[in-house]
Every structure is written in C-alpha cells, then in structure tokens.
Amino acid sequence: MKKLGFSMVMVALLLAGCTSKQKENTSESTSSKAPSQEIAVVVDQEMSSMDSALATDTYSITAINNVMEGLYRLTENNELEPAGAKSLPQVSEDGLTYTIQLNEHATWSDGSPVTADDYVFAWRKAATPETKAEYGYLFEPVKHATDILAGQLAPEELGIKAVSEHELTIELEKTTPYFDSLLAFPTFFPQNEAFVTEQGDSYGKNSENLIYNGPFTLADFDGPGTDTSWTYLKNEDYWDKDTVQLTKIDNQVVKESSTSVNLFETGQADDILLTGELAKQYKDNEAFVTIKKAGTTYLSYNQTEATFKNENMRKAISYVFDREAIVNQLLGDGSIAPTGLVPSGMSYSPTTDEDFAVEAGGNLTMNIDEAKKLWQTAQKELGITNLTLKLVAYDTDSIKKVAEYLQSSIEENLEGIKVELSVVPVSVAIEYGQSTNFDLFLFGWTADYADPSSFLELFTTDSVYNYGKYTNPKYDQFVAAAKKADLSQLEQRWGNYIQAEKTLMQDMGVSPLIQKSEARLRNPALKGIISHSAGAQFDYKYAYLEE
C-alpha cells in the first residue's frame, strides 16, 4: 500500500479512513488465548535513549512507542487511530490550524492526567536548540519552529497552544503533506513537565527515571547504550488496558544470529532476527516471516578531507560493490538492491503515480573496470599511490558481514588501498558519525514518515545527519524549494525531490547499498503485532499468544 498521498484529497481520504482499529483488534484478540501472555523478543542493538526528545535509533523509538503514547497511533495500514487524542484533528479550511480534543481518560503511570500542557512542554523542549535534539528539524512545519531551532526566537513562540486542559491547537507555517503522520511519531509524544524537571539530567537514564502513559511500562532498564536487556510490563494505569493482552515482553540484545536461533529453537525466544545463511535455511519454516522496511543502508564518505572531496575517489569505491550479491548471497533476508537513496514502494508521484525510486532512476551497478580507471585518475589528482582508510560500522551480525565484504571488495579491486575495520556498538558508531571520525561509515536510515523528505533532508549542508559533510549548493536548493512547496504545489515539490536525488547520486555523495527487509522467526502462536515500514517498527498493543 502507498503510505502517504500527496494531495489534499489524499489527506482527506486518510483522515476519513481512520476508523478505529481498536475494535477490530479487540474482537480478534478475544479468540482463545494461551494461559500465559508473556513473550521474549531478541533484538540486535542496545537502545541509545529513552528521552522521546533525543531518541533516534530503531529500538529506542520502538520502546518509546510501546511504553508511551502520543496523540495518535498508526494502524497496520498506517492510518491514524486516536490515542492521546479523543478524535481525529479538526483541520482549518486552509490546512494551517489543527484543533485536537484530548482523551480525558489518558493518565501517566503515577495517576496524574495527560494534559495539553504536557504536549506543549515536550514540543518546546525538542525544538529548543540547547536540547540538541537530532530530530528537532521534524518540527519545521510548525509555526516559528525554524527560527526557534536557529536560536532566533524563544521556544514559547512555537505554534502549539494549550487552549484548556484537554484541548490543543497547532499552527503550521504551511500545509504539509506528511504532518498527520508526525502526530503519531515518538518525538511528538508528551512529557510530564513536573516529573521531567524533578529528574533533571537523570530523566530517561533508566526505567526508574521515567514515567509512562502507554500500553506498557519499562522495567529492568539500567541505561542507554550499555544495557542488554529490558522488559515491557502491562500498564495497569493505561486508559485502554482492557485491550492489551500481553502482560510481559522480555527484550534481550543478541548480536549473533546463531545464538538467537538457539534461543528460538529451545523455546527461550518468541521473535528473533535472521541473517545470511540462517535466513536462507529457515525460509520454508512455518515460523519464518519477512518484513519490508522503508530503509536504506548506505556508505558515507568523509568529505572534510581531500581524499573524499574527490568525486572520482567516491565513485571508484562505489563501483566495486555488487549490491545484488550483498542482498542475495550475504543477507538472504528479503532485502533488495537499491537504485538510489529513497527506497522503492514508499512514495508515489501525485500526478503519474510513478514510484519515486523508478522515476529518479539511478545507476548503482558494479563496474570494476570503471572503478579501476577512476581510482587511477583520483591517484593522479590527489598525488598519492597508497591509501589506508578507516571503515566504521556497528556490531550487528549482518552489518559486520557487509562491512567485511566492503573491505575485501575495495582491497581486492583497488590496488594500493588498505581498509581497517572499526566495528563498534551502535551508540559508539553514532558518536563517530556525529564527529565525522571516519573515512568510510556504514550506516542505515529508516523513514520516520513515508515521504522522500525523510531521506533527502539528511544530506543538506546543514543537516546534523550529514555525517560525511557532503555539500552541493544545487542539492540544497532543490531540497529547500521542495520544503517551501505547499499542497497546491505538489507536482513542483515532487520534481524538486527527484532532482535532489539525481544530484546526490550523480555526485555519489553517499553510496546506497541495501534496501532493507527483515527476516524473522516468530512463534506462530504470537499474533497481532503491528509492523510499520516507516516510523516505530513494532507495536505490541494488540499482540497476544494464541493457544
């Protein structure tokens, strides 16, 4: 299904189609249940933060989505479902003002009500420059957010207002096609100001320094970046607790697929990630599932140094990779070779219905002869004969294998280049990325919302996620023009993003390697998990074990 449309008509259909999934899932979950509603899940990375203003990684976002709740949740069809809000937003005729009535039954886990002030506080916090929220830019559609993020206005000027305890208004700078979906994204969740202020710098550092308003609460979490296990417990103070069937979800970090499989085979895990040969081995098993993701794994180049300011050098590296071999032989999990940065199956033209990835084209095929010629040209331009490069990657099983493949492909095909691997935990990898402490950086991005901007805004000159410091004024201009467009200029908006993608790929500003999918083994009795290709990956609110 196409995730988000690009017209006012599509937005209207989205809102009109947002029937309550709660009743559907509730009736389904009233079928016979297993005696115990406890499950164990294996994940392959630690969480980096439980502060909704600061979290950016997949597992932190997923955790926050399950132990906390915003105005809306997304159904399995990516439609809005009222959660912290009582109903869908009332949108003004010009599309600039949202009026939202809050759910009067929603409470925090200390029994206090969730109020409009909690949303105002959280949004202002995330948009405050001092918070250093990497996702702060997501607030740019909101009135005055850009100036606040730039330090030119006070956070109190942000276009969100608590009209009363249970009524909220939001003013936008311009109509924004994907804004509705942001209202279900964890960065836009409320925070209890009194509790956050009381905790100070300790807020979110462990499960005791958090307060919850979602289907579950967090237990046994000792700290971001280091703790390798945590638990979700059913939240008895949750306004819709009767819908929630699972009482306990144990999460354990395991980075070796073989270990995960052993846990699954011995009944110690109900849901695990598969990679490589194990994915191929289990593809006919009744427990095997494949989950498509709106995500791309790519290679960034450190363009603050002369080596990778050189376009021929970047292209020489990119041309030695066989992307089909990576996804089919190395991973075998349903991932596909990308044609560009923006993944296929996510975004469609407002006029032709063409897939963005198809229209943008892209040439990411392997060409060893061309790679060698480009390397020779780069050697002359740079005045070098040999080169040692530091490749940073994070330490999940699949990413390590890809990093080793990149290392061998470069060294075998580009004589004189030596690649040193630095494989580190994801939190450390992110720190390396943020400080541009690498030559090559193997990283991945999954869409926060189903729109090309979720990827293409990453690589503007001023983006905090532009770890390799790619810069091209033409690219910046295309993205800026697309951002300025409103719902009456959807065709122009689309065209500018197409040109931005083409520019990035022509420059080889980054090298996309994989369009991600996940292969998993999941207990066939485990039903009702909602998976999202963009945004928070898993929602356990409606999950249950069947007899």
Side-chain angles (χ1 to χ4, degrees):
M1 175 179 175
K2 298 167 192 175
K3 302 302 184 291
L4 285 179
F6 286 88
S7 66
M8 185 65 83
V9 172
M10 199 64 181
V11 172
L13 288 174
L14 174 67
L15 296 176
C18 294
T19 56
S20 175
K21 187 71 182 174
Q22 176 186 331
K23 292 183 180 179
E24 295 174 27
N25 281 285
T26 303
S27 61
E28 179 186 17
S29 62
T30 55
S31 60
S32 61
K33 302 291 188 303
S36 171
Q37 290 296 319
E38 299 182 3
I39 65 170
V41 175
V42 169
V43 299
D44 64 350
Q45 294 176 23
E46 300 84 359
M47 294 191 290
S48 66
S49 178
M50 279 302 294
D51 185 335
S52 59
L54 299 176
T56 58
D57 68 282
T58 297
Y59 292 112
S60 297
I61 292 294
T62 294
I64 292 169
N65 190 59
N66 283 284
V67 302
M68 298 175 194
E69 187 167 74
L71 294 164
Y72 302 98
R73 305 186 79 84
L74 291 179
T75 70
E76 60 188 351
N77 294 321
N78 292 310
E79 298 171 335
L80 290 183
E81 169 187 271
K86 181 163 59 176
S87 57
L88 296 173
Q90 297 177 343
V91 184
S92 62
E93 192 172 330
D94 61 7
L96 296 177
T97 302
Y98 283 58
T99 301
I100 299 173
Q101 304 299 324
L102 299 190
N103 180 350
E104 296 177 0
H105 301 290
T107 65
W108 294 102
S109 50
D110 66 355
S112 62
V114 180
T115 68
D117 284 331
D118 295 327
Y119 288 92
V120 173
F121 170 73
W123 288 28
R124 288 176 177 174
K125 173 184 170 181
T128 299
E130 289 74 19
T131 301
K132 297 181 179 179
E134 291 190 26
Y135 272 157
Y137 73 94
L138 291 178
F139 287 89
E140 288 181 352
V142 181
K143 190 172 183 178
H144 298 317
T146 301
D147 289 338
I148 294 168
L149 289 163
Q152 297 171 0
L153 282 178
E156 290 74 20
E157 298 298 319
L158 189 66
I160 181 172
K161 180 181 179 182
V163 178
S164 66
E165 186 174 16
H166 290 104
E167 183 176 336
L168 194 65
T169 60
I170 303 163
E171 291 184 87
L172 304 187
E173 289 284 0
K174 63 181 181 64
T175 51
T176 304
Y178 57 84
F179 183 73
D180 290 6
S181 64
L182 294 180
L183 298 177
F185 191 71
T187 309
F188 291 75
F189 283 11
Q191 290 192 5
N192 184 302
E193 181 174 6
F195 184 88
V196 173
T197 302
E198 180 183 352
Q199 298 300 314
D201 292 339
S202 296
Y203 177 71
K205 294 297 175 63
N206 58 54
S207 48
E208 299 302 316
N209 299 127
L210 284 162
I211 191 170
Y212 311 98
N213 70 325
F216 302 92
T217 62
L218 185 65
D220 304 321
F221 176 64
D222 296 329
T226 56
D227 197 5
T228 57
S229 63
W230 56 89
T231 300
Y232 306 143
L233 298 174
K234 181 175 179 178
N235 183 1
E236 295 298 335
D237 293 306
Y238 181 54
W239 67 273
D240 196 23
K241 67 178 180 179
D242 291 343
T243 297
V244 182
Q245 301 300 318
L246 294 180
T247 58
K248 184 179 182 182
I249 306 171
D250 285 320
N251 292 261
Q252 181 179 353
V253 177
V254 177
K255 299 186 179 183
E256 298 293 334
S257 286
S258 57
T259 304
S260 297
V261 169
N262 287 335
L263 290 171
F264 187 85
E265 293 284 16
T266 57
Q268 298 177 70
D270 295 283
D271 195 2
I272 69 167
L273 182 68
L274 285 176
T275 58
E277 290 302 318
L278 287 169
K280 300 174 192 175
Q281 178 182 334
Y282 279 89
K283 67 178 181 179
D284 295 324
N285 191 290
E286 67 168 340
F288 183 87
V289 295
T290 299
I291 299 171
K292 293 182 178 180
K293 302 177 70 174
T296 304
T297 299
Y298 55 85
L299 191 66
S300 283
Y301 306 97
N302 181 349
Q303 296 178 52
T304 67
E305 302 292 339
T307 301
F308 287 118
K309 284 182 179 178
N310 187 290
E311 182 178 326
N312 291 315
M313 186 72 238
R314 300 194 300 270
K315 289 182 175 179
I317 295 287
S318 186
Y319 282 145
V320 301
F321 305 136
D322 186 341
R323 290 160 175 82
E324 293 289 346
I326 292 174
V327 298
N328 294 321
Q329 299 173 27
L330 199 62
L331 299 179
D333 57 5
S335 294
I336 63 174
T339 58
L341 180 67
V342 176
S344 62
M346 185 188 79
S347 307
Y348 298 83
S349 167
T351 55
T352 67
D353 209 34
E354 182 78 277
D355 190 312
F356 185 95
V358 173
E359 188 171 335
N363 180 16
L364 294 173
T365 57
M366 181 175 67
N367 189 331
I368 299 299
D369 290 340
E370 183 66 16
K372 289 179 178 180
K373 291 177 183 177
L374 289 166
W375 166 227
Q376 291 171 357
T377 301
Q379 286 176 298
K380 294 176 183 178
E381 292 172 342
L382 294 168
I384 60 174
T385 55
N386 299 292
L387 188 62
T388 298
L389 301 174
K390 175 183 176 182
L391 169 57
V392 173
Y394 47 90
D395 60 351
T396 62
D397 194 25
S398 60
I399 290 296
K400 282 194 293 184
K401 290 177 180 177
V402 174
E404 290 165 358
Y405 166 82
L406 302 185
Q407 178 189 38
S408 64
S409 295
I410 294 169
E411 291 182 346
E412 289 173 9
N413 293 296
L414 302 179
E415 186 177 354
I417 298 184
K418 179 178 175 55
V419 178
E420 297 176 347
L421 289 185
S422 179
V423 180
V424 295
V426 64
S427 58
V428 178
I430 291 173
E431 290 177 3
Y432 281 163
Q434 291 170 336
S435 60
T436 318
N437 183 11
F438 60 85
D439 296 305
L440 302 168
F441 186 29
L442 181 58
F443 198 60
W445 189 264
T446 299
D448 302 312
Y449 49 92
D451 187 83
S453 60
S454 187
F455 286 88
L456 294 169
E457 290 184 14
L458 300 177
F459 297 105
T460 56
T461 300
D462 59 356
S463 169
V464 295
Y465 293 104
N466 186 2
Y467 295 153
K469 309 306 179 187
Y470 164 75
T471 182
N472 183 328
K474 283 178 57 181
Y475 180 85
D476 291 347
Q477 289 167 11
F478 286 132
V479 173
K483 288 175 66 174
K484 290 178 182 177
D486 60 23
L487 287 178
S488 68
Q489 302 167 310
L490 292 179
E491 186 174 356
Q492 297 96 309
R493 179 180 188 269
W494 180 265
N496 278 303
Y497 278 132
I498 291 288
Q499 291 305 313
E501 167 98 355
K502 287 179 178 292
T503 301
L504 182 67
M505 292 297 94
Q506 287 165 0
D507 291 345
M508 205 58 71
V510 295
S511 292
L513 298 169
I514 303 160
Q515 182 173 331
K516 296 185 284 187
S517 289
E518 280 190 359
R520 308 186 72 85
L521 286 180
R522 179 174 292 167
N523 182 348
L526 180 54
K527 310 290 186 181
I529 296 177
I530 294 178
S531 301
H532 296 120
S533 60
Q537 186 174 15
F538 297 121
D539 188 335
Y540 296 106
K541 175 176 176 176
Y542 299 109
Y544 64 94
L545 279 172
E546 189 176 58
E547 282 187 356

